């Protein structure tokens, strides 16, 4: 039978978690291995200063129980999605701020750590080339790890970059000792965002890296593919209809040019094909007619140039601008 103090603590924790579930609709599920208490204090302080965000850690069984009871009591159908992800040394960061900004704030609080014997490496470790500052008596460490070295001015110098530890491997005694002698802290630890929860859905934090431009490019590519498939199959869709209309207009225009059939949109095309020189705009005479004033001549020239550009655009368009 748990003591009264333990029961009161559990009730207090349950009440706190239920209040957070009521107040927030977004949270991060974070992994907290190798994160010290001082680091947690800095994270909490940074998140409070950045925006309205709350870090909640606790036993997984207590968090799961509180979430289930809260959802049964209130009929909430969103938060149960979080329960299955509460595995391992994890916690919840509730927030009302922008998810991408809050994640960036969390990632700021990473602390360098030395390589300890038996630790599983969270990332690759490469020892860079250069002078180590160690005296020649230390070459045995480098030889044991097959690191090429030479003696330069009384110190050991590494000849080339060496991949010392691979991600996922356990750190050995020789590797840990060598890195300590070189003063290298190869690992950094902090809260790692595993999943993001918003509006009843869980998704990978990589989704936050997707920008509006990426979404627009994907949508445009998808529409182009749909239009191409529809045109090839002869099956009209919203994506292919504009292309079909323009292609149809081109066919009608070609028939009108080859035959005596005429319609208003074809008249200009026929006139251009009959006498292209009639569409050439001469700017020099107009400029001369502007008189001796340099400003008036320049303005007249600019107007004729603009006129010419508009004419050329119309000629190139052949009436297709009607479908823009």
């Amino acid at each position: 039978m748990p003591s009264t103090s333990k029961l009161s603590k559990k009730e207090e924790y349950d009440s706190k978690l239920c209040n957070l579930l009521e107040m927030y609709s977004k949270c991060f599920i974070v992994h907290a291995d190798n994160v010290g208490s001082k680091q947690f204090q800095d994270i909490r302080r940074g998140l409070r200063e950045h925006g309205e965000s709350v870090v909640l850690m606790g036993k997984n069984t207590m968090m799961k129980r509180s979430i289930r009871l809260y959802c049964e009591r209130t009929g909430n159908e969103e938060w149960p999605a979080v329960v299955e992800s509460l595995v391992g040394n994890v916690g919840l960061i509730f927030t009302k701020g922008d998810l991408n900004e809050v994640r960036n704030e969390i990632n700021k609080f990473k602390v360098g750590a030395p390589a300890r014997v038996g630790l599983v490496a969270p990332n690759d470790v490469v020892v860079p080339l250069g002078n180590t500052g160690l005296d020649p008596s230390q070459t045995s460490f480098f030889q044991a790890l097959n690191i090429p070295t030479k003696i330069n001015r009384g110190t050991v110098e590494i000849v080339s970059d060496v991949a010392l530890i691979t991600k996922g491997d356990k750190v050995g005694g020789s590797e840990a000792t060598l890195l300590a002698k070189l003063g290298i802290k190869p690992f950094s630890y902090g809260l790692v965002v595993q999943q993001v929860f918003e509006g009843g859905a869980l998704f990978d934090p990589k989704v936050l890296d997707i920008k509006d431009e990426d979404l627009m490019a994907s949508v445009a590519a998808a529409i182009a593919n749909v239009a191409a498939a529809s045109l090839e199959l002869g099956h009209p869709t919203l994506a292919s209809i504009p292309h079909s209309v323009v292609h149809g207009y081109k066919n009608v225009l070609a028939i009108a040019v080859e035959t005596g059939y005429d319609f208003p949109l074809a008249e200009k095309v026929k006139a251009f094909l009959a006498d292209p020189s009639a569409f050439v705009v001469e700017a020099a005479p107009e400029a001369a007619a502007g008189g001796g004033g340099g400003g008036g001549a320049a303005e007249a020239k600019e107007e004729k140039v603009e006129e010419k550009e508009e004419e050329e655009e119309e000629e190139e368009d052949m009436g297709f601008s009607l479908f823009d």
Side-chain angles (χ1 to χ4, degrees), residues 1 24 26 33 53 65 87 93 101 104 110 122 128 136 158 166 183 217 224 229 246 261 266 287 313:
M1 186 74 179
Y24 294 87
K26 299 182 290 186
D33 276 354
S53 300
R65 178 179 178 277
V87 179
I93 297 181
E101 293 179 2
N104 293 337
K110 290 188 180 294
I158 299 175
T166 304
V246 171
Y261 180 75
E313 287 177 4

Side-chain angles (χ1 to χ4, degrees), residues 62-324:
M62 290 182 63
M63 287 193 287
K64 290 179 179 179
R65 178 179 178 277
S66 295
I67 293 173
R68 288 195 183 103
L69 291 176
Y70 169 81
C71 293
E72 289 175 4
R73 185 171 64 253
T74 61
N76 186 292
E77 297 180 355
E78 295 182 353
W79 284 107
V82 174
V83 173
E84 299 301 324
S85 300
L86 298 177
V87 179
N89 187 17
V90 297
L92 300 173
I93 297 181
F94 296 89
T95 182
K96 291 183 180 180
D98 181 84
L99 289 173
N100 202 30
E101 293 179 2
V102 176
R103 183 191 59 165
N104 293 337
E105 188 69 19
I106 294 170
N107 291 336
K108 287 181 183 178
F109 296 93
K110 290 188 180 294
V111 177
R116 299 194 301 272
V117 179
L119 184 70
V120 177
N123 54 266
D124 296 335
V125 179
V126 176
V127 177
L129 62 86
N131 198 305
T132 63
L134 300 176
D135 60 81
S137 64
Q138 306 292 329
T139 54
S140 58
F141 290 106
F142 299 96
Q143 292 173 355
L145 297 169
N146 296 321
I147 298 177
T149 59
K150 65 178 181 180
I151 306 301
N152 184 17
R153 296 181 181 180
T155 58
V156 178
E157 183 176 322
I158 299 175
V159 177
S160 60
D161 292 347
V162 178
L164 185 64
I165 304 172
T166 304
K167 180 180 178 180
D169 293 347
K170 286 188 177 182
V171 179
S174 299
E175 290 90 342
T177 304
L178 175 61
L179 291 171
K181 286 181 177 294
L182 296 177
I184 297 175
K185 293 182 177 181
F187 307 135
S188 60
Y189 297 106
L191 294 180
V192 179
V193 178
Q194 290 187 326
Q195 287 183 304
V196 183
F197 172 85
E198 182 178 16
L202 281 172
F203 52 89
D204 193 279
K206 292 181 180 178
V207 174
L208 299 177
D209 296 325
I210 300 175
K211 300 179 181 178
D212 291 341
E213 294 79 6
D214 300 327
L215 292 174
M216 292 301 296
S218 298
V219 171
I223 292 174
N225 291 335
V226 171
S230 300
L231 291 172
E232 187 67 24
L233 297 172
H235 180 72
T237 61
L238 288 176
S240 67
I241 285 175
H243 301 278
S244 299
V245 172
V246 171
H247 291 162
Y249 174 72
K250 289 180 179 178
N251 292 334
V252 173
L253 188 60
I255 293 171
V257 170
E258 292 294 330
T259 65
Y261 180 75
D262 199 9
F263 61 97
L265 293 177
E267 290 177 358
K268 190 172 183 178
V269 176
K270 286 186 175 183
F272 174 78
L273 294 175
D275 185 13
S277 61
F279 289 83
V280 176
V281 179
E282 294 182 3
E286 293 294 333
E299 288 177 7
K301 187 174 181 180
E302 286 179 5
E303 287 178 5
K304 296 306 290 183
V305 170
E306 289 177 3
E307 222 174 277
K308 183 178 179 180
E309 289 176 352
E310 289 177 4
E311 291 286 346
E312 289 176 352
E313 287 177 4
E314 290 179 5
E315 290 164 14
E316 291 175 358
D317 192 36
M318 298 291 186
F320 298 151
S321 60
L322 295 173
F323 302 97
D324 289 347

Side-chain angles (χ1 to χ4, degrees), residues 13 16-17 20 44 54-58 63 91-94:
Y13 182 87
K16 181 179 180 180
L17 178 53
L20 292 173
R44 293 177 191 275
V54 179
V55 181
L56 181 70
M57 304 298 293
M63 287 193 287
L92 300 173
I93 297 181
F94 296 89

